Amino acid sequence: MSPRPPEGRQKQSASPDPARSEQGGRPEPRPACTPTDSSEGDMVSPVTVVKSEGPKLVPFFKATCVYFVLWLPTSSPSWFSALIKCLPIFCLWVFLLAHGFSFLGAHSNARKILAGLIFSALGDAFLIWQEQGYFVHGLLMFAITHILYSSAFGMRPVNVHAGLVITAVSSLSYMLLYPYLSGPFTYLVAVYIALIGFMGWRAIAGLQLANDLWTWTKLSACLGAMLFMVSDLTIAVNKFCFPVPHSRAIIMATYYAAQMLIALSAVECQDAEVARKRT
């Protein structure tokens, strides 16, 4: 009779390795993540976000400081003032490109946000010369931006309650502006409000705070969309209704913050990978 093997060794041979699949003993592949995935994988901590994304955003913060320090007068538009205004947005291009072309190639929502930032820069340039008749051109560029951002945020989940709230806010905004609008702006502003409202709805709908299915990037997209709406409403009120005190500072501060937060909403997947490698 052969001696009985030790109990610990017998249990070890009976239980399969959880890190290996049944075919060939190879490790099971990890499912590919997406920038808006919150249910497959651990949520990245804010500390990891700051360490990973903070250095890439330094040029953006510097460019934003340059804009506010120079504070070039809007009464004398020039290519230099257009460059200074667009520079923070250029830095957000670089921020997304710094994550690698393979990352952008693998995630369509990151590409859409990058495209939105490109049209935003064009819109900023047109608005430099808005008094020379280029305001509608800028409006069109930002309308395309909101369509791209809406597509990037996706149509799931629907979140009807968020949609109703945004519809109410958008309707009240247009009712405020309507008595001051004339000519083509009567319908152009209506279409623009509908587009930016739709973008805000899609960003807010993805947050799902009640179901605990949120990530820091979804929160970032939500805050960015709301700040974008505040910025554009301030532009509209200041242009069509009455002068808003410190309007330029309010518009540009909320606008730059909104664009940064929306750009951040595209990079959760890569930060999740970084977090996994460090654990």
Side-chain angles (χ1 to χ4, degrees):
M1 180 181 296
S2 58
R4 182 180 179 181
E7 185 177 355
R9 186 177 300 176
Q10 192 175 31
K11 290 183 179 180
Q12 183 177 1
S13 61
S15 59
D17 187 355
R20 295 184 178 275
S21 64
E22 295 180 357
Q23 299 178 354
R26 295 182 180 178
E28 293 183 359
R30 187 183 299 274
C33 57
T34 59
T36 57
D37 184 17
S38 62
S39 59
E40 299 179 6
D42 298 331
M43 186 172 65
V44 185
S45 69
V47 176
T48 303
V49 174
V50 172
K51 289 181 179 179
S52 176
E53 304 304 331
K56 301 185 187 74
L57 285 171
V58 168
F60 165 79
F61 289 120
K62 289 182 177 180
T64 303
C65 290
V66 168
Y67 174 83
F68 283 103
V69 168
L70 293 180
W71 202 244
L72 298 175
T74 57
S75 56
S76 55
S78 64
W79 285 107
F80 179 70
S81 59
L83 173 64
I84 295 301
K85 184 181 181 183
C86 295
L87 193 58
I89 307 302
F90 294 159
C91 292
L92 291 178
W93 297 3
V94 176
F95 167 74
L96 288 179
L97 291 171
H99 290 81
F101 288 102
S102 59
F103 175 78
L104 292 172
H107 301 99
S108 61
N109 65 336
R111 295 195 302 272
K112 291 171 184 176
I113 289 177
L114 177 60
L117 289 169
I118 292 172
F119 279 100
S120 294
L122 292 173
D124 286 332
F126 279 125
L127 291 181
I128 287 288
W129 287 277
Q130 61 178 296
E131 299 301 329
Q132 286 71 33
Y134 289 96
F135 180 80
V136 174
H137 299 74
L139 201 68
L140 176 61
M141 294 298 103
F142 280 109
I144 297 173
T145 295
H146 297 318
I147 293 173
L148 288 166
Y149 285 169
S150 300
S151 179
F153 297 148
M155 289 303 299
R156 292 289 184 273
V158 176
N159 198 333
V160 176
H161 296 292
L164 292 175
V165 171
I166 291 296
T167 299
V169 172
S170 299
S171 300
L172 289 173
S173 300
Y174 186 68
M175 290 172 59
L176 169 67
L177 297 170
Y178 181 77
Y180 302 92
L181 301 174
S182 61
F185 286 112
T186 304
Y187 59 86
L188 287 176
V189 171
V191 172
Y192 186 85
I193 288 177
L195 288 174
I196 193 172
F198 185 81
M199 184 272 292
W201 171 40
R202 296 322 311 146
I204 296 171
L207 193 56
Q208 293 183 281
L209 287 174
N211 297 328
D212 198 26
L213 295 175
W214 66 279
T215 62
W216 69 267
T217 51
K218 291 181 179 180
L219 179 62
S220 178
C222 178
L223 293 175
M226 289 191 292
L227 286 174
F228 216 135
M229 294 175 72
V230 170
S231 178
D232 281 2
L233 181 61
T234 307
I235 290 177
V237 171
N238 187 70
K239 181 175 180 62
F240 297 113
C241 301
F242 50 83
V244 177
H246 311 292
S247 60
R248 186 181 172 190
I250 296 171
I251 291 166
M252 296 312 298
T254 52
Y255 170 69
Y256 285 143
Q259 293 284 34
M260 180 198 70
L261 290 168
I262 291 173
L264 272 171
S265 70
V267 300
E268 177 181 5
C269 179
Q270 182 151 343
D271 292 330
E273 290 298 325
V274 171
R276 292 189 189 106
K277 291 177 181 178
R278 289 179 178 177
T279 56

